[in-house]
């Protein structure tokens, strides 16, 4: 039994691992640090459930509005907005669920600063789910756990990348009225191996243990946040890695050096969204809605999404927008990233080299490219 033929067709969502009735599938890390299913042929009974549950092999498109309702907005609570990646919509949408006895599933850091999906049902734990973590989360048996709570009748909000939401629906097989799904526009999942290597180098340079990673830190404003990461250490000090000094985000956002191969051909972008609600940064938003504190892009893709959005209208500022306004600033809405041709080499070489040396080696912009870039900038300026 083989689930797929090419690694590019596996997002690592782990729906197959969750569904296997014989526990014949384990999720094993490859040499690049990404998890893929491995089938124990002795335990496998060839039932084919893994194939039927794979959201890529057995394609699934959820029935949604033809055209989502589009809003720009943010949380009216200053603290929530500042400490969230975009405008804090995730926290506003999920807080009332916890307050009324429901559960929220999302990505949080574990004790080694790696990322995993977790289920929470109190407000202090909810804080740990907020903020984008720019590496692939380990979903383990999260779909099994989510189903158990859904079957008990409690309300569950599940938040993840579009491929993880697709995996959840394939695993559940049926509609649950007590489920709300939230996804984000995703430019690609980074290898946990690359992230681990970057953190290890920081720990060894600083001679301290990392306690918390805060990606997209808004110290210098929301628009500069993608390359601004705050690292907290175990001696209660912190350091901000910003701009080109932020090697990890530089290698992610520019040369796409350690993104999962399947993200180069994402099956879940475009208008047929997977979740009830899609959240993102509203890059390119008009000036009057940009105070540089974080403006969320909100897509309501279904009646269920609209129902939950209507409940939080008092807690947020929002304004209706059109689909055409989102395309320019958010290219990943419709397109997959182009993965660096040296990505495999980079991740393999991490076994014997440190992160910063490899970033220097593989993210070098050629002299000609640099000149082209400068000329383009000059032309743009002179046309203004
Ligand atoms: C890997 C990644 C790539 C992204 N790419 C884009 C992009 O190209 N364009 C764009 O506009 N927005 C992108 N986003 C989305 C954006 O960063 C915000 O997550 C989104 O706008 C929600 O912000 P918020 O302020 O409402 O909530 P936040 O408080 O920031 O909540 C974020 C939510 O995402 C979940 N989450 C965080 N990290 C992960 C992870 N690694 N895996 C699965 N779930 C996770 C959290 O559990 C939480 O539920 C990306 C996010 C991630 C994690």
């Amino acid at each position: 039994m083989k689930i797929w033929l090419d690694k590019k067709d596996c997002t690592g969502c782990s729906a197959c691992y969750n569904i296997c009735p014989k526990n014949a599938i384990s999720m094993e890390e490859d040499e690049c640090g990404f998890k893929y299913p491995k089938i124990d042929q002795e335990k496998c009974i060839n039932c084919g459930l893994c194939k039927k549950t794979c959201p890529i092999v057995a394609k699934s498109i959820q029935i949604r509005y033809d055209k989502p309702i589009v809003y720009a907005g943010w949380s009216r609570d200053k603290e929530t907005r500042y400490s969230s990646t975009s405008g804090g919509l995730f926290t506003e949408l999920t807080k009332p669920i916890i307050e009324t006895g429901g559960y929220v599933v999302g990505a949080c850091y574990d004790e080694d600063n790696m990322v995993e999906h977790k289920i929470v049902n109190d407000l202090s734990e909810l804080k740990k789910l907020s903020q984008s973590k720019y590496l692939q989360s380990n979903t383990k048996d999260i779909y099994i756990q989510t189903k158990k709570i859904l079957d008990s009748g409690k309300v569950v909000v599940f938040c993840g990348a579009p491929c993880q939401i697709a995996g959840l629906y394939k695993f559940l097989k049926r509609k649950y009225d007590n489920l709300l799904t939230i996804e984000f526009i995703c430019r690609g999942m980074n290898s946990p191996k690359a992230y681990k290597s970057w953190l290890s180098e920081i720990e060894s340079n600083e001679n301290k243990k990392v306690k918390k990673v805060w990606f997209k830190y808004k110290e210098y404003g929301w628009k500069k946040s993608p390359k601004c990461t705050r690292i907290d250490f175990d001696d209660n000090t912190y350091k901000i890695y910003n701009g080109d000094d932020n090697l990890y985000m530089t290698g992610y956002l520019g040369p796409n050096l350690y993104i999962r191969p399947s993200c180069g051909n994402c099956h879940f972008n475009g208008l047929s969204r997977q979740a009830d609600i899609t959240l993102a940064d509203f890059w390119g938003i008009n000036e009057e809605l940009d105070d540089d504190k974080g403006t969320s892009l909100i897509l309501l893709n279904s009646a269920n999404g609209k129902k939950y959005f209507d409940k939080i209208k008092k807690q947020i500022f929002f304004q209706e927008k059109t689909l055409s306004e989102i395309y320019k600033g958010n290219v990943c809405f419709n397109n997959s990233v182009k993965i660096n041709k040296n990505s495999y080499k980079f991740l393999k070489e991490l076994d014997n080299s440190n992160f910063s040396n490899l970033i220097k080696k593989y993210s070098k912009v050629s002299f000609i490219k640099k000149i082209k870039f400068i000329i383009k900038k000059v032309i743009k300026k002179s046309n203004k």
Side-chain angles (χ1 to χ4, degrees), residues 113 198-210:
N113 299 306
W198 173 62
L199 280 195
S200 308
E201 197 175 331
I202 289 178
E203 287 189 335
S204 108
N205 289 345
E206 298 294 323
N207 205 13
K208 296 170 192 176
K209 282 257 162 255
V210 170

Side-chain angles (χ1 to χ4, degrees), residues 307-323:
K307 182 178 94 183
Y308 282 95
F309 181 79
D310 286 345
K311 290 182 189 179
I312 61 152
K313 280 181 167 172
K314 279 195 182 141
Q315 281 73 50
I316 59 168
F317 165 82
F318 64 99
Q319 198 177 95
E320 188 150 7
K321 294 274 143 197
T322 58
L323 270 175

Side-chain angles (χ1 to χ4, degrees), residues 297-336:
L297 163 63
I298 308 144
L299 297 184
L300 305 181
N301 305 316
S302 68
N304 194 37
K306 185 173 178 317
K307 182 178 94 183
Y308 282 95
F309 181 79
D310 286 345
K311 290 182 189 179
I312 61 152
K313 280 181 167 172
K314 279 195 182 141
Q315 281 73 50
I316 59 168
F317 165 82
F318 64 99
Q319 198 177 95
E320 188 150 7
K321 294 274 143 197
T322 58
L323 270 175
S324 58
E325 287 171 275
I326 71 175
Y327 296 139
K328 203 170 148 217
N330 225 321
V331 282
C332 292
F333 183 77
N334 278 322
N335 305 292
S336 307

Side-chain angles (χ1 to χ4, degrees), residues 132-329:
S132 292
K133 292 101 186 165
Y134 291 102
L135 61 145
Q136 183 151 33
S137 75
N138 186 351
T139 42
K140 298 192 276 190
D141 64 346
I142 203 71
Y143 300 140
I144 296 174
Q145 288 186 52
T146 302
K147 185 176 182 305
K148 271 188 199 152
I149 302 172
L150 285 170
D151 286 336
S152 78
K154 299 267 187 201
V155 174
V156 178
V157 185
F158 191 105
C159 181
C163 52
Q164 292 168 336
I165 303 293
L168 172 71
Y169 282 120
K170 288 300 281 180
F171 173 82
L172 292 175
K173 286 194 231 119
R174 73 169 182 88
K175 190 177 177 299
Y176 281 85
D177 290 334
N178 50 338
L179 170 67
L180 170 73
T181 51
I182 302 178
E183 65 186 1
F184 43 84
I185 293 178
C186 182
R187 89 176 292 282
M189 285 298 177
N190 287 323
S191 160
K193 180 177 174 180
Y195 162 83
K196 210 175 184 171
S197 164
W198 173 62
L199 280 195
S200 308
E201 197 175 331
I202 289 178
E203 287 189 335
S204 108
N205 289 345
E206 298 294 323
N207 205 13
K208 296 170 192 176
K209 282 257 162 255
V210 170
K211 201 166 74 180
K212 185 184 155 87
V213 182
W214 183 338
F215 284 113
K216 275 190 83 198
Y217 189 50
K218 292 179 181 163
E219 175 86 359
Y220 308 112
W222 167 59
K223 290 198 285 300
K224 288 202 173 128
S225 70
K227 273 191 165 186
C228 187
T229 304
R230 170 175 154 168
I231 305 264
D232 291 13
F233 297 99
D234 61 353
D235 63 353
N236 294 327
T237 58
Y238 70 88
K239 201 166 167 181
I240 296 171
Y241 294 83
N242 192 32
D244 290 346
D245 293 338
N246 188 336
L247 297 184
Y248 182 73
M249 290 309 274
T250 298
Y252 173 45
L253 296 173
N256 302 327
L257 267 171
Y258 21 82
I259 297 178
R260 191 177 177 102
S262 59
C263 303
N265 181 26
C266 177
H267 289 242
F268 308 103
N269 54 23
L271 259 186
S272 38
R273 307 306 310 172
Q274 297 301 307
D276 295 306
I277 298 178
T278 306
L279 297 177
D281 285 293
F282 212 131
W283 299 128
I285 188 72
N286 47 311
E287 262 174 36
E288 69 267 26
L289 291 188
D290 178 12
D291 55 4
D292 213 14
K293 291 182 177 153
T295 305
S296 286
L297 163 63
I298 308 144
L299 297 184
L300 305 181
N301 305 316
S302 68
N304 194 37
K306 185 173 178 317
K307 182 178 94 183
Y308 282 95
F309 181 79
D310 286 345
K311 290 182 189 179
I312 61 152
K313 280 181 167 172
K314 279 195 182 141
Q315 281 73 50
I316 59 168
F317 165 82
F318 64 99
Q319 198 177 95
E320 188 150 7
K321 294 274 143 197
T322 58
L323 270 175
S324 58
E325 287 171 275
I326 71 175
Y327 296 139
K328 203 170 148 217

